Amino acid sequence: MSAAGPAAPASPAHGAGPAPAPGPASGLPAPAALPRVPAERAQEYRRRGWWLPERVDRLALRRAAERPEAVAVVAPGGRLTYRQLADAVAGAARRLARLGVRRGDRVLVQLPNDVELVVLPLALMRLGAHPVMAHPALRRYELAHVVEATAPVAMAVQRRVGRFDHAALARHLAADCPSLRLLLVADRAGGGAPEQDTHDLVALCRPEPGEGPLPELGPPQDDEPAVMLLSSGTTGRPKAIARAHEGYGYMIRASAEWAALSADTVYLAVMPGAHGFVLNCPGILGTLAFGGRVVLASADDPDGALDLVEREGVTHCALVPALVDQWVAAARRRGRGPSTLRVVQVGGARPEARLVTEAMKALGCTVQQCYGMSEGLLVFTALDDPEGVVTGTQGRPASPGDELRVVDESGAPVPPGTTGELLTRGPYTVPGYYNAPGADERSFTADGFYRTGDVVRLLPSGGLVVEGRLGDVINRGGEKISPLDLEALVIDHPAVRAAAAVAVPHPVLGQTVCLFAVPLDPAAPPSLLELRRHLQDRGLATFKLPERLEIVDTIPYVGIGKVDRVALRRAATEAGAPD
Ligand code: AMP
């Protein structure tokens, strides 16, 4: 990969306004890479008390001194009290500093839900370094792009997740990236000494107090990132989203209020904690900020999850609709819902109204609809909203500072109540991507509004209803798949002349991928299995693999060479059951 520094900005959102910028003197990356909120708006956010001079690692541990013996984290790798968590974070920060991790460095974090997923990002923030949070399902194809954009100094993985060797992938990425010189590997299952070129992440995150002082960083600098989330890849491979301390901290505090978090909250994270929905809406970070307890597990088994809810007294959880469906079925099989659950947040994709009603009944809790995006905006239903609002809308913006515009194809506002694309900006929505100027031009307006690509309706009540996507991104159980991306890889297969991927409805996941392929030799068309293998060999994440294949003579087009996806979706749906 190229070791060149971040490219110059193209969007007016970058570098606008006179606010002092992070730069070489502060040890932070050059301002060109960091999109900046214009000074006027930043001042207003501070004046309104939304932005506070508080680092997010401080926010997450602000209750630790008051409740040192309260349990903060319950995970497969063990339990930590708040005292142990604070010691683990400080200890890991010191060890990282000794390994040469500095303020402003990026560290790619691709970890499953376990102790290190909580400790490492907080330790990096404590040093002023930026964790780049990657979903464990991402593979070489997606991560190579992230590594190129963020030039991390380190990558943290669990050696194996299932049968996949993440340490091998990390080495592969490091071979092409001169900045990536530290491999931090958690290997509880292996148990032996770390391999020579790696550092033991479990030991690095152990709560051992008293290893010397840490530098005091003081309040965050303007636009200084706390974490980098990854975009869901709707317009290609994932882009890094630098979430600045002030706005990110505000969002965590605001969403904690919407979800009524307190020191009594027991929050269960079953979906990947690298995703904003689980990390910060209010999620893991919000629960810690309010002195609650975070329980980390995987989503594989709904019965196991319901047992865990009972065992740990879980009060809050965030789920995509496909998982809600599984939990409802499991609760019905058991003849009872969990007794402690108060709030299930449903988001990532739009749930059917029927599912929301069933969840309230079967799980015996309040459902909170959540719509949002890693770029910022969050929309919630209130816990005391009438049932019609909770089943029929995705909610209202989390902050009075959120600005929403619904526009038509020309960018003009649509009449109230009609559908159009949602544009948004506000105190916790980023004004641009990190080091992706071309993408910024497409995704942000000149006055700093993020083009969500979502087609929505704003009701007179202020409620928002999501109607679909402008583009044709496939939403498989909350995981977004770009058809363009997939097609580009399929076309490389020697037996394929042309290809197009579309969503087909699926009763549980919402949507799955149907691939249309034109074979080079009609007498020897490729099989679905062959194409899936080909995509896996190219390093594509497993959840993006097509589940159906239709061999066709031609791909239909409309306009100037645009694939006619409407016709293909119709054809795929009419063609019926999966292979
Ligand atoms: P991500 O950045 O991965 O959170 O993906 C954000 C996108 O997921 C949004 O722009 C929407 O397209 C979709 N999304 C998230 N929540 C919902 C929801 N409640 N209803 C419909 N779509 C949603």
Side-chain angles (χ1 to χ4, degrees), residues 229-234 241 275-277 321 346-351 369-376 378-379 393-394 422 450-455 464-469 473 475 478-480:
L229 302 178
L230 297 181
S231 73
S232 49
T234 51
I241 304 164
H275 195 281
F277 188 26
V346 185
R350 194 175 95 167
Q369 286 226 28
C370 311
Y371 156 77
M373 58 220 61
S374 310
E375 287 81 356
L378 290 180
V379 166
T393 75
Q394 275 59 64
L422 176 67
Y450 170 58
R451 296 183 214 271
T452 66
D454 292 325
V455 177
L464 183 132
V465 180
V466 181
E467 302 282 6
R469 290 232 13 118
V473 168
N475 188 336
E479 303 293 353
K480 318 303 178 314

